[in-house]
């Protein structure tokens, strides 16, 4: 009985204020589309960062003239450091070969050099949880102190920049989350407030004949949540279409998982629910 | 059942709507509150419905007290009361039947019960044949009958009627009064507020006369001798000791 009543009243609410309802829905759509777009950018950046992270390593160059025994000890010392997965030794010859490979066509330049100027080194690979600027800086410092190690290189500057971009994206996401959520809640709040005002006589009678506040509130809450649901579904469809178009152009783009998509839709429902809850609470408190 | 004990109500800090009003009502009683506009009749009804709380004194209704009643108790009290108004307060976009059923639906009653009781209430006011009509298709008297049916559908122990015949033609007024008497004989107490002296003159009910927020029922003879206001002239026409039903 009650469920039928709530559904009927929710639908009636839509019919009574179609235009405002559509405005509410499109606001939630726009809000979630904007938020979703930035979340997708962040997501794809994180994917890219994860791929790069596989390649994060520290190079420890050995001092020229360091005896073999010291090099072996240094290698063991590096491997025993917490966070280090492995340390592969690169001889002078191996280093030259790799350099030549990297130079490609211009490898001939190297024939002008009589002696091999490249130092011996260890390529230190890291355990996944240590592939970040802070851990790498700490490890580099420790490796630097090992006798026989001349210099340590780990791309400090670009690694820092990459992480700063990642951090900035998260800050933008968080700010957008707050701004668009507030905007969506405000629009739903206004729509439901207008509906409440249009139905104030009905609400007055409901209270006179003994309806509880909860009973009066529920159809309006449902109406707000339905607006949130419709808006977030439309926003989700928009995001997916946008993603399809962009990934056909650029390829290799990632999209939200099903769980993430469901969370986004639920978030829209929660925004709608919150907007209407505040409106009804205010209205009933005042009436 | 109903007890107002030294109840006073002041609006916006300065306008005193009710001053030290005390009276009680027993089960099945029919009482008329009479007085000119602004004498405090509607305020008394609002206090009984707990739409307002007294600034001083206490209002006790059906075991609830204005002193200890919480916001959650109010719907429970109102389901035991029936209320009708001068402007009927019907929903224009709902049929007669829907208007009556509405009062039960909001209490989450099962649909079978809603139908049975709504039809019974419409039968009682003689409007079951117009259940599919909309309020604008009815006369003032008929609209008030629908409002009465809506008030009765919850089986109230007390029916509050605020100027029930104010927007009704003379014939409708007689019908409404007959229905109210009928309801009362079946055991429901009725508290009716009106300013229509002629209407009350013909009725043998208990009368509480109000003037400027105070009761002047206990002194009808003195009012007759000294007073010159509308209440005094009314009191001159009713018996010194109004019979109680």
């Amino acid at each position: 009985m009650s469920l039928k009543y709530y559904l009927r009243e929710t639908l009636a609410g839509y019919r009574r204020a179609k235009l405002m309802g559509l405005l509410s829905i499109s606001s939630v759509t726009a809000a979630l589309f904007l938020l979703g777009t930035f979340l997708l950018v962040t997501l794809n950046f994180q994917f890219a960062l994860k791929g790069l992270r596989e390649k994060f390593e520290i190079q420890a160059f050995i001092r020229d003239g360091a005896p073999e025994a010291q090099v072996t000890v240094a290698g063991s010392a590096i491997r025993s450091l917490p966070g280090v997965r492995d340390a592969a030794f690169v001889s002078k010859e191996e280093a030259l070969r790799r350099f030549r490979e990297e130079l490609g066509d211009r490898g001939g330049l190297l024939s002008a050099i009589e002696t091999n100027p490249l130092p011996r080194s260890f390529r230190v690979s890291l355990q996944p949880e240590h592939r970040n600027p802070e851990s790498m800086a700490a490890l580099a410092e420790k490796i630097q102190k090992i006798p026989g190690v001349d210099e340590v290189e780990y791309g400090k500057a670009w690694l820092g920049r990459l992480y700063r971009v990642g951090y900035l994206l998260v800050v933008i996401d968080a700010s957008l989350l707050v701004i668009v959520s507030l905007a969506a809640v405000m629009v739903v709040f206004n729509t439901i407030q207008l509906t409440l005002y249009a139905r104030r006589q009905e609400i007055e009678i409901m209270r006179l004949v003994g309806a509880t506040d909860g009973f009066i509130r529920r159809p309006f809450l449902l109406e707000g949540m339905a607006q949130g649901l419709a808006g977030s579904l439309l926003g989700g469809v928009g995001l997916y279409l946008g993603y399809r178009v962009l990934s056909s152009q650029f390829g290799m783009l990632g999209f939200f998982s099903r769980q993430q998509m469901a969370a986004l839709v639920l978030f829209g429902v929660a925004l709608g629910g919150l907007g209407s809850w505040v409106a009804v609470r205010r209205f009933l408190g005042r009436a | 059942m109903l007890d107002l004990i030294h109840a006073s109500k002041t609006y916006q800090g300065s306008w005193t709507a009710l001053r030290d009003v005390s009276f009680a009502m027993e089960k099945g009683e029919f009482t008329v509150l009479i007085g000119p506009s602004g004498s405090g009749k509607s305020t008394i009804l609002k206090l009984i419905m707990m739409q307002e709380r007294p600034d001083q004194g206490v209002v006790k209704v059906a075991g609830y007290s204005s002193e200890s009643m919480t916001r959650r108790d109010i719907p429970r009290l109102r389901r035991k009361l029936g209320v009708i108004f001068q402007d009927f307060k019907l929903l224009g976009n709902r049929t007669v039947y829907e208007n009556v059923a509405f009062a039960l639906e909001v209490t989450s009653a099962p649909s079978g019960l809603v139908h049975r009781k709504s039809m019974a209430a419409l039968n009682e006011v003689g409007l079951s044949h117009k259940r599919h009509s909309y309020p604008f298709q009815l006369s003032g008297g008929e609209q008030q009958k629908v409002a009465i049916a809506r008030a009765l559908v919850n089986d109230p122990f007390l029916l509050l009627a605020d100027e029930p015949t104010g927007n009704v033609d003379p014939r409708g007024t007689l019908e409404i009064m007959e229905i109210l008497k009928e309801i009362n004989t079946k055991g429901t107490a009725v508290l009716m507020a009106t300013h229509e002296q002629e209407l009350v003159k013909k009725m043998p009910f208990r009368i509480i006369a109000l003037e400027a927020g105070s009761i002047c029922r206990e002194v009808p003879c003195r009012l007759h001798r000294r007073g010159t206001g509308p209440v005094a002239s009314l009191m001159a026409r009713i018996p010194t000791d109004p019979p109680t039903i």
Side-chain angles (χ1 to χ4, degrees), chain A residues 50-279:
Chain A
K50 201 178 168 195
L52 278 175
R53 235 183 252 157
E54 300 288 318
K55 296 172 189 159
F56 284 5
E57 58 177 23
I58 299 173
Q59 267 190 300
F61 297 103
I62 309 297
R63 187 160 35 81
D64 264 349
E68 280 302 315
Q70 197 182 30
V71 175
T72 315
V73 171
S76 312
I78 292 170
R79 280 184 207 100
S80 68
L81 287 172
V84 172
R85 193 166 66 181
D86 194 21
F89 178 70
V90 180
S91 65
K92 282 174 85 78
E93 294 72 31
E94 176 69 13
L96 188 64
R97 192 184 61 75
R98 285 189 188 176
F99 192 33
R100 193 164 278 153
E101 262 177 31
E102 279 172 30
L103 286 175
D105 295 344
R106 290 169 295 167
L109 290 171
L110 289 173
S111 54
I113 303 164
E114 285 170 15
T115 55
N116 180 355
L118 298 173
R120 290 165 293 174
S121 66
F122 282 103
R123 297 183 76 142
V124 184
S125 58
L126 306 166
Q127 282 165 358
E129 62 272 24
H130 288 273
R131 290 174 195 153
N132 60 66
E134 294 79 29
S135 290
M136 287 175 82
L139 263 175
E141 204 175 313
K142 282 180 194 160
I143 294 170
Q144 180 79 66
K145 285 178 186 155
I146 294 172
V149 174
D150 185 25
E151 204 180 319
V152 177
E153 170 63 49
Y154 65 97
K156 192 177 174 181
W158 69 264
L159 199 64
R161 266 201 298 277
L162 205 60
Y163 268 79
R164 269 200 297 280
V165 171
Y167 177 72
L168 188 70
L169 275 176
V170 171
V171 170
I172 292 175
D173 286 344
S175 321
L176 264 179
L177 185 79
V178 173
I179 295 166
V180 303
S181 302
L182 275 177
V185 168
M186 280 303 291
V187 177
V188 175
F189 168 84
N190 271 321
T191 307
I192 299 293
Q193 209 174 32
L194 279 177
T195 315
L196 282 164
Y197 188 72
R199 295 173 66 185
R200 65 192 181 284
Q201 197 201 2
E202 197 172 332
I203 293 169
E204 183 198 349
I205 295 167
M206 284 170 101
R207 302 186 101 181
L208 285 174
V209 296
T212 58
D213 283 354
F215 185 89
I216 299 171
R217 197 182 294 135
R218 260 164 243 143
F220 295 103
L221 274 186
L222 274 179
E223 194 176 327
M225 284 162 79
Q227 286 173 0
L229 178 69
S232 56
L233 284 177
L234 283 174
V237 169
L239 279 175
Y240 186 69
L241 291 177
Y243 155 75
R244 288 296 296 266
V245 169
L246 282 179
S247 63
S248 68
Q249 299 285 318
F250 302 106
M252 297 293 286
L253 285 176
F255 195 66
F256 297 122
S257 66
R258 273 191 195 165
Q259 286 87 345
Q260 286 167 331
M261 204 58 223
L264 200 70
V265 170
L266 274 180
F267 183 64
V269 173
L271 290 182
L274 181 67
S276 55
W277 186 78
V278 176

Side-chain angles (χ1 to χ4, degrees), chain B residues 96-112:
Chain B
V96 164
Y97 173 83
E98 285 168 347
N99 265 286
V100 176
F102 184 67
L104 271 176
E105 282 179 338
V106 302
T107 64
S108 301
S111 53

Side-chain angles (χ1 to χ4, degrees), chain B residues 30 32-33 45 83-88 140-141 143-145 147-148 159-169 172-173 176-177 180 190-196 199:
Chain B
F30 197 129
V32 179
L33 292 173
L45 298 187
V83 203
I84 54 173
F85 300 91
Q86 182 172 1
D87 59 356
F88 322 127
Q143 289 190 51
Q144 192 59 288
K145 286 183 198 170
I148 293 173
L159 179 70
L160 302 172
D162 194 359
E163 304 277 4
T165 56
N167 279 336
V168 180
D169 60 27
T173 298
I176 298 290
M177 288 313 298
L180 290 181
V190 178
L191 179 60
M192 183 176 102
T194 183
H195 67 277
E196 291 176 72
L199 188 68

Side-chain angles (χ1 to χ4, degrees), chain B residues 96-225:
Chain B
V96 164
Y97 173 83
E98 285 168 347
N99 265 286
V100 176
F102 184 67
L104 271 176
E105 282 179 338
V106 302
T107 64
S108 301
S111 53
L113 187 74
V114 171
H115 182 73
R116 210 168 50 246
K117 294 191 91 172
S118 304
M119 287 310 293
L122 279 172
N123 266 331
E124 205 165 334
V125 297
L127 275 183
S128 49
H129 63 291
K130 292 209 169 173
R131 61 186 177 277
H132 299 304
S133 304
Y134 285 87
F136 67 86
Q137 297 169 312
L138 306 178
S139 70
E142 286 173 326
Q143 289 190 51
Q144 192 59 288
K145 286 183 198 170
V146 177
I148 293 173
R150 182 181 65 193
L152 290 181
V153 81
N154 267 322
D155 298 323
F157 76 96
L158 171 63
L159 179 70
L160 302 172
D162 194 359
E163 304 277 4
T165 56
N167 279 336
V168 180
D169 60 27
R171 192 177 148 203
T173 298
L174 286 178
E175 285 176 6
I176 298 290
M177 288 313 298
E178 281 308 310
I179 290 172
L180 290 181
K181 275 193 268 183
E182 180 78 18
I183 291 164
N184 181 241
T185 51
K186 286 180 182 167
T188 304
V190 178
L191 179 60
M192 183 176 102
T194 183
H195 67 277
E196 291 176 72
Q197 302 164 16
E198 291 302 314
L199 188 68
V200 176
K201 201 168 66 177
K202 302 167 203 156
M203 303 289 173
F205 305 126
R206 176 187 177 190
I207 291 161
I208 297 173
L210 292 161
E211 205 167 47
S214 298
I215 291 182
C216 46
R217 173 179 76 94
E218 300 298 330
V219 284
C221 295
R222 279 167 60 191
L223 259 174
H224 170 55
R225 279 194 292 270

